[in-house]
Amino acid sequence: MAMALRPIDNALPTTTPERPKKQSKVSVAIQKQSEFGVNDENKAPLPSSADVTIDYISSENLKPIADPESKVESLMEGLDSKDWIMVCESLNNVRRLALYHSSLLFPYLEKVMLVLVKAMKNPRSALCKTSIMAASDIFNAFGDKLLDCTISVAYDNLLLQLLLKASQDKRFVCEEADKTLKATVMSMTPLPLLHKLRGYVSHANPRVRAKAAVSISNSVSKMGLEGMKEYGLISMVQMTAYLLNDRLPEAREAARSIATLIHKGVTENEEEKLGAWQNFCESNLPPIHVPSMLKVISSQ
C-alpha cells in the first residue's frame, strides 16, 4: 500500500531574520600635543593654559641672576623643552642674561635667536610675546654685534619674523613687535640695518612693506647727510618713489618722511632749493614718479 505523504512544512522562516546591530562608535578623548607640550604618563600633568598666568616683565624690572654661569649651562635645555611654560621661563632668563651678563650669553646667541624665531611662529600668544620681548633686550644688549657674519643669517630670520608679527591682527603682539623694531633701529648703526631692511620694500605682504618702510624712515632720520650719501642718495630716492605709490597709507607716510630727509640733504647748499630738488628727481627717477616726489615737498 502506498504511504500517504505528509505535507512538508515550509523550510524558510515566516519572519525576516533580525539584522545584526551596527556597532556604535565610541569617542575617545585624545589630548592634542602642542609644539612645546608632550604628554608623559610618568610625569605630573602640565597645568592647562587656563591655570597658567604668564608675567610680562618690563626690562627695567628684570633682576640680575645670582649664579649666571650655572644658568647659562642649563639655558639651552630649558629653551629646547617641550613644555611651553618652561620655554617662557627660559626666555626670561635669556633677557636677564642679555641685560646683565651679555658676555656669557654671546656664545649661545645664534642658537637663542633660532629659538626666538620658532617661538614667534608658535600659536600661543604668550610664548610669542615673550620671545618678542626677549628679542628687544637682545638688540639693546648686543647692537651691531648681531651683524657678525657668524650669526647674521639668524638675525635676518629674526628680523623677518618681527616684521611679520608687527603686521598681524593680534593687537598686543603687534604692538610689542613694533616696539622691538624701534629697539632694532635705536641699537644699530643705520647704514648696515638699512641694507637689510631694503629687501623688504618689495615684499609680497603689503603690511610687511609698510612696517619695513617705517623702520627705514627711522633709520634714515639717524643717518645725517653723510650717512645718506654713503648709502647713495640716488638709490634712496628711487626706493622712496616706489614706496610713495604703495597701497597702504602707513608706507606712503613713511616714504614722505624719507623724501623730506633726502630733500634736506640734496638742497643743503642750494639757494634755489625747489629747482635743485626738481632737477635731482628728474635726473634720477622715471618721469611718472617725478610729480609725486615734487608734491611731497611743495605741500610742506
Side-chain angles (χ1 to χ4, degrees), residues 14-30:
T14 58
T15 58
T16 304
E18 183 179 356
R19 293 183 179 181
K21 293 182 178 180
K22 187 177 180 181
Q23 291 184 346
S24 60
K25 294 183 179 180
V26 179
S27 299
V28 179
I30 299 176

Side-chain angles (χ1 to χ4, degrees), residues 36 54-55 57 62 65 70-98 105 108 111-113 115-116 119 126-127 130-131 133-135 137-138:
F36 286 94
I54 300 298
D55 293 327
I57 309 171
L62 288 169
I65 296 174
S70 63
K71 186 65 68 176
V72 165
E73 292 177 359
S74 61
L75 181 64
M76 293 313 301
E77 181 181 354
L79 291 174
D80 291 336
S81 172
K82 301 300 182 181
D83 179 357
W84 70 272
I85 302 170
M86 184 176 294
V87 176
C88 284
E89 293 174 356
S90 298
L91 288 173
N92 279 327
N93 285 329
V94 166
R95 299 176 63 199
R96 297 164 70 192
L97 287 166
L105 181 63
Y108 302 89
K111 293 181 179 179
V112 167
M113 287 195 290
V115 172
L116 292 181
L127 182 57
T130 303
S131 65
M133 296 175 75
D137 289 326
I138 286 175

Side-chain angles (χ1 to χ4, degrees), residues 12 24 28 34 36 73 88 90 121 130 136 152 158 175 180 192 204 223-224 236 241 289:
L12 295 176
S24 60
V28 179
S34 68
F36 286 94
E73 292 177 359
C88 284
S90 298
K121 294 179 180 179
T130 303
S136 180
S152 181
L158 184 55
E175 290 176 349
T180 301
M223 296 180 79
M236 193 172 289
H289 287 158

